[in-house]
Amino acid sequence: MSFTSLLFIFGFLPLSWLASCAWTKKTSVQNVILLLLSLLFYAWGSIQNLYILLILIVWNYCSGLQLEQTQDMPRKRRLIFWSSVLYNVAVLAFYKYIGFWFGSILPQTQNIHAPIGLSFYTFSILSYLADLYLNKCPAQKNVVAFGLYVSFFGKLTMGPISQYTDFEQYLKHRTISKDRFAHGMDLFLKGLVKKVFFADQLALVFAAMGNDSSFLGAWLLSLAYTFQLYYDFSGYSDMAIGIGYLFGFEIPKNFDHPYIAKSVQDFWRRWHISLSSWFRDYVYIPLGGNRVSKEKYIRNILIVWLLTGIWHGPNWTFVIWGLYYGLLLLGQKFLFQKWIDRLPAAVNIILTFLIANIGWVFFSSPTIMTAFSHLGNMLGIGISSFASENALFYLSSYWLLFVFAFLLCGTLYEKIEKKIFLLFSKQAVIGVGVFKICVFVMMVAYLVSSTAQTFLYNAF
Amino acid sequence: MKNKLASMKRRSALLFSVILSGILVLGLIINVIWPDRDHSNVENRPLQTFPALQLQSLEDGSWTRNMTNWFSDQFVGRNLYFHLNYLLKKGTGIQKIDDVYLGKGALIQEAGAPNEALMSQKAQTIQAFHARFPLNTSVMIVPTAAQIDQDKLPPFAPGAFEQQTIDSFYSQLPEDIHALDVGKTLEKNQNKYQYYKTDHHWTSLGAYHAAKQFLKSQGMEIAYSDYERMPVSNSFRGTLESKTGSVFLKDTIDIYVAKNNPDYLVTYNNDGNPVPTIYDDEALHRKDQYEVFFGGNDSLVQINLNTDSTRHLLIFKDSYANSMIQFLLPYYRSITIVDPRYYYDDITRLIESDMITDVLFLYNYNSFQTDTSLLDVLNSAIQTANQ
C-alpha cells in the first residue's frame, strides 16, 4: 500500500491509529497491534512478499538470541554473526541482483523481482546484528518487538533505515504527546505536498524529455530528475517520519535541504542521512575510518562508495555513480578543500548542486552510454537543436513548478512561516493552520484525479 | 521572543492536527457509509464496487487491488476533486492533462504517434479486399482537432503530423479506390465549429463538410440548405471534459435532417425490431450525448430507405461516422454499417444479402492508426471468399 493512496490516507492510517493508540497506553499491547497492521500493510502489495519478511524476522530473531547466548564463546559467536550476515546479504543479493548477473545465461532469473523494501529492512536487520555483536545492546527477547522493529509500516518500504540502538527505546516504551502528534501530522502533510505536488508532476516532465536530444531538453531532463528525486524521496521520508511521530516513534530526519549543501561532503551529510550513517557506522568505521594510513583511507572511502552504489541497484550506472562520489570526496579531502574555503558560499552551493545534478544523470540513465550521451547533450555535443518544440512546450507548462521546486528546496518556507508568525501572531496561528488544511484538500484533489481512468478509445 | 514564536507555531500545529485528524476520521466514516455507485457519469465508465473476499482473489492480489480501486472510485466528492485538480493545474500554468491539451477555448486530444507499419498493413489489406470484392470503394481518414484546429493548441505544442501520415497512407492505395482528402476540406473551414470543445468527436458541421466531399466523389451534389439544422443540446460535456475535469466549457449538439429525407427503418444487430430513426433521444439525458447518433456504437446497423436509388452502401467505421450518416440517407437504397471492433460475423454473406454496391471506410486518424479489428474482419472475409 502506498502512502499516497487514498485508502491509506483515509483508511489504513486513521484506522491503525484508532486500533492501536486510541484505547491503550500500554506499549506492549500497541506493539502487537502495530506488528499485525504492518504485516497487513506489507501483504497488501503481495502475499508472497510477506513470507519472505516473516522468514527474515524469525531467522534473525533466533540469530540474535544465539548471539547473546554465546557471549563467552567468541569463535562460535563470530561464526554465528557472520553466517547470519551472509544469509541476509544472500537473500538480498538473490532477489535484487541475480536477474542482472545471470539474466543472459538463465533467462528465468529475469522474472525474479525484489520484494518491495527489501534493501531497507535488510539493512535495519544488519544494524541489529552488528549492534548486538559489538555489545552495544542486549538481544531483543520479544519476537513481537523485534518484528515491529523490522516491519513498522511507517518505514518498511522506503526507510528511513533505522539503527537498532536508536529504535530500541521505543519498542520498550512510547508516549504520544499532543505536540508529537501535531508534529507528525505536519511532517505527513509536508511529505504529501513534496510527493504529490512536486515529484509526481516533475516525473511527467522527466518522462516527456526522455528522448529529447536538444540542449534545452537535456537540461530539463536532468533538472526534472534532480528535483523529482529529492521531492519524491524526501517527501516519502517526511511522511514516514511523520507517521512514526503519530505512533510515538521518533525517527531521525533523513534529508536536510541537500541542495543548499556547500560541498560534496556537506551534501552527503544532508542527503539520505540514514543510509550514509549506516555505511559510516557499519562499514567505514569498522574498516578503520580515517584513523588509518592514507592508502587505507582511500581504500575505505572507495569501498564504502562502491557499496553505496551497488546498494541502489544492479546496474553499472549505480557503480559509476557511487565511485564518482567516492572520488569527489577524496578530491575534496586532499585537493579542493582550500578552494572551497576561499570561494563564496553561493558559488559553492551552485557547484555542489551541479555536481549532484551530473551524478543523477548517471543514476537515472539505463546504461552508461546513454548517460554519457545525455551529458554530451547538456554540454551542446551531439544535440539535435538548441530547443525542441517538445522541450519548449514543457518549459512553458512547468516553469512555475520548477521555480517553486527551486525556491522551496532550501529553507525559504521555514523563513516565510516565521515571518508570518512574527508579523501577525494571533491571526497567524489560525491562518497557517487553515492554510495547511486547504493545501491538504488540494493534494487530495491531485490524488483523486491521478486515479482517473477514462477509457477514451472505447468511447470512439 | 523565541519562546513566543515556538508557542505560536505549536498552537498552530495543534490546531492543524486536530482539524486534519477530524477530516481523516470523518472522511473514513463518510466514505464507508456512503452508498456505492456503479457508474461514473463524469468519467463515463463503470466504477469499482466493494469487492467480495475470496481465497483466489486474496492469493493473486486482485482483492487488495480492487479494494484500493474501490476506495478511490467511490471517494465521496470525487467529481468535485476532478474540477479542483483542473483549476489548480490550469492555475499553475500547466497546459496538458494526461494526453489532452488545454487549448484556447477548447480541449484537444493529442494525436497518437503514427504507426507506419500498421498503416501499410491496412493499405495492403484494403487493397486485397478491393481486389476480391471489386465494388465502388472509398476511403476517408479524418484528421482530428489536433491537426485541423492547430491554432487553438497552447503555444509550443508539438506540430501536427496527422495529414502527413494520412497522405502517406493514401499513396499506398491503388488508383481505383477513392482516397478522400478530407483534411483539406476541413482546413478550409478552420474557423467554423467543426470539432467539439469538450469531446474528441467532430461536430455535425464537420461531418457535413466531409459528407459533401464524399457524395461529390460519388457524383452527387448537396448543399447546406438541403438540410434543416436542429439544435438538440447545449449542455454537452464530452470525454475530454471527463478526462481533464475542465470547468467552464460545454458544447452544442446539432442534428441535420435532410428536407427530402425518405422514410426509413433502422435495424440494430439483426434484432428484428426496426425503428424509424437514427437518433436516440434518451442519450441526451446521459453523460455521453454524442450517443444521440445511433445510441452509440453497434456491431451492425442496417438502414433500409424508401428511395429510388440503386446503390447499397457498406460502411466500415468508428464513431466519427455516426454523425455523418445523417447526411447520406436520401442518396442510397440501403446503408449497412459495420463497426469491426464489435463485429465477428461473416462479411461476405452480408455483402451478398444486402446487395452491396459501394464500400466506404470511414475512420478518424487516432482510431485508424491504433485499432486492428478492421484487419481481422477484412482478412476473414477474404479467406471465406477464397474458399
Side-chain angles (χ1 to χ4, degrees):
Chain A
M1 202 182 312
S2 150
F3 289 171
T4 52
S5 86
L6 292 165
L7 183 63
F8 180 82
I9 297 173
F10 285 91
F12 190 86
L13 186 61
L15 275 178
S16 307
W17 200 87
L18 292 173
S20 60
C21 304
W23 61 278
T24 174
K25 287 206 159 70
K26 270 196 174 162
T27 302
S28 55
V29 180
Q30 288 181 1
N31 282 355
V32 176
I33 299 165
L34 282 180
L35 175 63
L36 291 174
L37 286 165
S38 297
L39 297 180
L40 172 70
F41 176 85
Y42 200 57
W44 203 260
S46 140
I47 291 207
Q48 286 74 22
N49 289 349
L50 179 66
Y51 304 144
I52 297 163
L53 177 66
L54 285 174
I55 290 170
L56 285 176
I57 288 175
V58 173
W59 175 282
N60 288 290
Y61 169 73
C62 297
S63 302
L65 293 183
Q66 281 185 311
L67 280 176
E68 180 134 301
Q69 283 156 7
T70 51
Q71 283 288 6
D72 315 324
M73 296 171 263
R75 283 187 60 188
K76 193 171 175 194
R77 193 161 187 259
R78 193 160 62 214
L79 187 71
I80 292 170
F81 172 70
W82 283 110
S83 58
S84 302
V85 168
L86 197 69
Y87 176 76
N88 286 295
V89 172
V91 171
L92 180 62
F94 175 78
Y95 281 108
K96 204 160 170 180
Y97 305 103
I98 202 151
F100 181 71
W101 288 337
F102 297 105
S104 46
I105 320 168
L106 295 166
Q108 57 270 42
T109 58
Q110 282 175 337
N111 296 328
I112 297 173
H113 297 293
I116 187 165
L118 182 68
S119 318
F120 290 92
Y121 60 77
T122 302
F123 267 41
S124 291
I125 289 170
L126 292 177
S127 154
Y128 169 69
L129 293 175
D131 286 352
L132 194 56
Y133 184 62
L134 298 172
N135 291 318
K136 286 196 211 162
C137 63
Q140 180 56 259
K141 312 263 176 347
N142 184 332
V143 70
V144 170
F146 180 71
L148 185 60
Y149 163 68
V150 177
S151 69
F152 173 55
F153 69 84
K155 65 181 185 62
L156 178 60
T157 51
M158 250 173 92
I161 300 161
S162 42
Q163 297 197 9
Y164 183 71
T165 41
D166 296 340
F167 209 79
E168 192 192 6
Q169 48 172 317
Y170 301 111
L171 297 171
K172 270 191 223 131
H173 180 69
R174 293 190 297 278
T175 48
I176 300 162
S177 70
K178 274 192 253 168
D179 288 319
R180 220 180 240 185
F181 185 84
H183 184 57
M185 282 289 196
D186 226 27
L187 272 177
F188 187 79
L189 175 70
K190 194 171 153 194
L192 190 67
V193 174
K194 281 183 175 178
K195 171 82 178 113
V196 175
F197 185 75
F198 288 104
D200 288 352
Q201 295 203 81
L202 288 163
L204 297 176
V205 182
F206 178 72
M209 290 301 119
N211 294 320
D212 197 302
S213 54
S214 71
F215 180 74
L216 179 66
W219 274 97
L220 274 182
L221 179 69
S222 75
L223 287 174
Y225 191 77
T226 296
F227 284 116
Q228 183 204 336
L229 192 65
Y230 165 68
Y231 280 103
D232 193 284
F233 199 3
S234 79
Y236 207 87
S237 298
D238 284 346
M239 293 170 89
I241 298 167
I243 292 166
Y245 271 90
L246 296 181
F247 291 88
F249 298 95
E250 269 184 46
I251 303 170
K253 67 178 160 195
N254 209 14
F255 286 84
D256 183 15
H257 309 99
Y259 292 150
I260 55 168
K262 295 192 182 73
S263 69
V264 172
Q265 199 175 32
D266 190 21
F267 176 77
W268 276 102
R269 285 192 198 118
R270 296 161 172 271
W271 180 278
H272 203 177
I273 299 167
S274 65
L275 182 71
S276 23
S277 333
W278 193 96
F279 274 110
R280 183 194 64 212
D281 294 345
Y282 300 113
V283 180
Y284 177 67
I285 290 177
L287 285 172
N290 57 4
R291 295 178 185 171
V292 285
S293 63
K294 194 171 168 182
E295 289 75 28
K296 276 203 167 159
Y297 172 76
I298 293 174
R299 181 205 67 182
N300 291 351
I301 289 283
L302 291 179
I303 288 178
V304 165
W305 287 94
L306 183 66
L307 290 176
T308 305
I310 293 173
W311 180 85
H312 282 88
N315 196 333
W316 289 110
T317 50
F318 293 122
V319 173
I320 298 268
W321 172 81
L323 291 177
Y324 167 80
Y325 275 109
L327 293 173
L328 280 167
L329 286 165
L330 290 173
Q332 180 175 354
K333 168 112 177 162
F334 296 116
L335 303 167
F336 318 130
Q337 189 60 51
K338 50 185 183 288
W339 298 335
I340 294 172
D341 293 340
R342 260 179 254 157
L343 283 170
V347 176
N348 279 327
I349 291 174
I350 294 169
L351 285 176
T352 310
F353 179 84
L354 286 175
I355 286 172
N357 192 41
I358 292 168
W360 297 136
V361 170
F362 286 99
F363 195 88
S364 64
S365 296
T367 64
I368 296 174
M369 279 311 291
T370 45
F372 277 111
S373 93
H374 182 190
L375 278 180
N377 290 343
M378 287 168 69
L379 295 170
I381 303 164
I383 50 173
S384 56
S385 64
F386 177 75
S388 67
E389 245 176 354
N390 198 26
L392 282 171
F393 176 72
Y394 274 87
L395 182 64
S396 74
S397 261
Y398 287 94
W399 66 272
L400 204 59
L401 187 72
F402 272 102
V403 170
F404 275 117
F406 176 76
L407 291 176
L408 295 179
C409 71
T411 53
L412 185 68
Y413 177 77
E414 284 91 335
K415 282 179 189 148
I416 291 176
E417 203 185 66
K418 191 172 157 188
K419 266 264 156 62
I420 289 174
F421 276 119
L422 291 176
L423 272 175
F424 300 103
S425 51
K426 252 193 185 154
Q427 294 97 309
V429 171
I430 297 172
V432 171
V434 172
F435 168 73
K436 284 180 180 164
I437 292 292
C438 294
V439 170
F440 176 77
V441 173
M442 291 178 197
M443 293 309 109
V444 174
Y446 275 63
L447 284 177
V448 171
S449 11
S450 73
T451 63
Q453 325 161 5
T454 32
F455 300 117
L456 207 48
Y457 280 105
N458 285 354
F460 265 111
Chain B
M1 194 65 187
K2 216 166 185 177
N3 278 340
K4 200 182 155 204
L5 182 70
S7 131
M8 282 191 292
K9 270 191 169 170
R10 196 180 144 241
R11 275 187 292 154
S12 174
L14 280 175
L15 176 74
F16 162 72
S17 70
V18 168
I19 302 178
L20 185 57
S21 316
I23 291 179
L24 293 185
V25 174
L26 263 178
L28 172 64
I29 296 171
I30 294 175
N31 273 305
V32 169
I33 60 171
W34 205 267
D36 280 9
R37 299 170 306 148
D38 45 10
H39 187 90
S40 163
N41 275 339
V42 168
E43 291 167 76
N44 196 23
R45 67 173 174 100
L47 295 174
Q48 174 73 50
T49 47
F50 193 84
L53 185 61
Q54 282 161 340
L55 201 61
Q56 166 74 28
S57 62
L58 202 58
E59 246 171 40
D60 65 18
S62 62
W63 187 76
T64 55
R65 211 166 36 243
N66 289 342
M67 273 294 282
T68 309
N69 290 342
W70 163 73
F71 201 86
S72 57
D73 273 10
Q74 302 294 345
F75 199 76
V76 174
R78 184 173 170 86
N79 297 345
L80 278 176
Y81 280 116
F82 267 87
H83 295 312
L84 179 59
N85 172 66
Y86 169 84
L87 290 174
L88 287 169
K89 292 217 164 119
K90 187 98 181 162
T92 50
I94 284 166
Q95 298 166 329
K96 191 179 173 193
I97 295 179
D98 278 339
D99 58 348
V100 181
Y101 290 108
L102 313 181
K104 299 181 194 91
L107 304 168
I108 298 176
Q109 194 189 4
E110 180 183 31
N115 184 344
E116 304 282 356
L118 181 63
M119 293 293 244
S120 299
Q121 210 183 341
K122 281 194 173 170
Q124 283 163 19
T125 312
I126 289 176
Q127 191 172 348
F129 180 80
H130 179 60
R132 192 64 197 72
F133 301 94
L135 304 162
N136 170 28
T137 302
S138 312
V139 179
M140 183 184 260
I141 310 301
V142 186
T144 68
Q147 170 78 42
I148 303 301
D149 288 344
Q150 278 182 68
D151 55 330
K152 290 183 186 157
L153 288 172
F156 305 115
F161 45 77
E162 290 175 42
Q163 188 64 50
Q164 242 176 305
T165 319
I166 295 168
D167 287 346
S168 120
F169 167 73
Y170 280 175
S171 70
Q172 299 172 48
L173 294 173
E175 283 197 349
D176 53 346
I177 291 180
H178 303 279
L180 297 164
D181 185 2
V182 66
K184 290 216 177 62
T185 315
L186 294 168
E187 216 156 275
K188 253 185 253 159
N189 297 290
Q190 209 177 26
N191 46 1
K192 294 182 186 152
Y193 185 30
Q194 297 189 109
Y195 292 91
Y196 293 114
K197 292 174 276 186
T198 66
D199 196 67
H200 60 281
H201 289 110
W202 56 0
T203 63
S204 296
L205 184 62
Y208 163 75
H209 292 132
K212 186 177 162 86
Q213 185 178 4
F214 167 65
L215 287 173
K216 191 170 181 189
S217 78
Q218 304 296 308
M220 293 170 272
E221 289 284 345
I222 57 168
Y224 189 76
S225 56
D226 295 347
Y227 299 88
E228 194 178 336
R229 180 176 75 95
M230 300 181 193
V232 290
S233 167
N234 52 19
S235 61
F236 175 39
R237 295 166 188 268
T239 49
L240 302 181
E241 192 241 22
S242 310
K243 248 198 161 177
T244 56
S246 132
V247 180
F248 304 114
L249 295 171
K250 57 181 180 179
D251 277 296
T252 314
I253 298 181
D254 293 333
I255 60 173
Y256 285 75
V257 179
K259 289 172 184 161
N260 59 343
N261 231 17
D263 289 335
Y264 61 88
L265 284 174
V266 188
T267 313
Y268 290 92
N269 306 320
N270 269 325
D271 67 355
N273 187 18
V275 288
T277 174
I278 62 166
Y279 304 108
D280 177 10
D281 291 352
E282 278 172 29
L284 297 172
H285 306 292
R286 295 199 293 264
K287 163 70 182 170
D288 189 2
Q289 297 183 2
Y290 185 77
E291 292 189 347
V292 69
F293 305 104
F294 294 95
N297 293 314
D298 286 278
S299 59
L300 174 66
V301 181
Q302 287 156 304
I303 311 175
N304 269 303
L305 298 129
N306 188 9
T307 60
D308 298 334
S309 172
T310 52
R311 301 172 75 163
H312 299 266
L313 177 64
L314 169 63
I315 305 181
F316 294 99
K317 61 98 198 175
D318 62 18
S319 60
Y320 262 50
N322 298 7
S323 57
M324 188 173 116
I325 291 163
Q326 56 185 335
F327 299 101
L328 310 181
L329 297 178
Y331 304 97
Y332 290 90
R333 179 69 184 82
S334 79
I335 300 178
T336 304
I337 305 156
V338 169
D339 194 328
R341 289 169 298 181
Y342 314 107
Y343 190 82
Y344 304 102
D345 277 340
D346 186 3
I347 290 283
T348 45
R349 264 222 302 255
L350 200 61
I351 291 176
E352 272 170 36
S353 64
D354 289 5
M355 296 177 289
I356 298 302
T357 55
D358 298 16
V359 178
L360 168 64
F361 294 90
L362 176 51
Y363 282 88
N364 79 77
Y365 165 84
N366 268 335
S367 66
F368 192 68
Q369 60 95 37
T370 50
D371 180 69
T372 54
S373 57
L374 176 65
L375 290 175
D376 302 336
V377 166
L378 296 185
N379 281 327
S380 87
I382 296 167
Q383 261 174 25
T384 319
N386 284 341
Q387 274 165 14

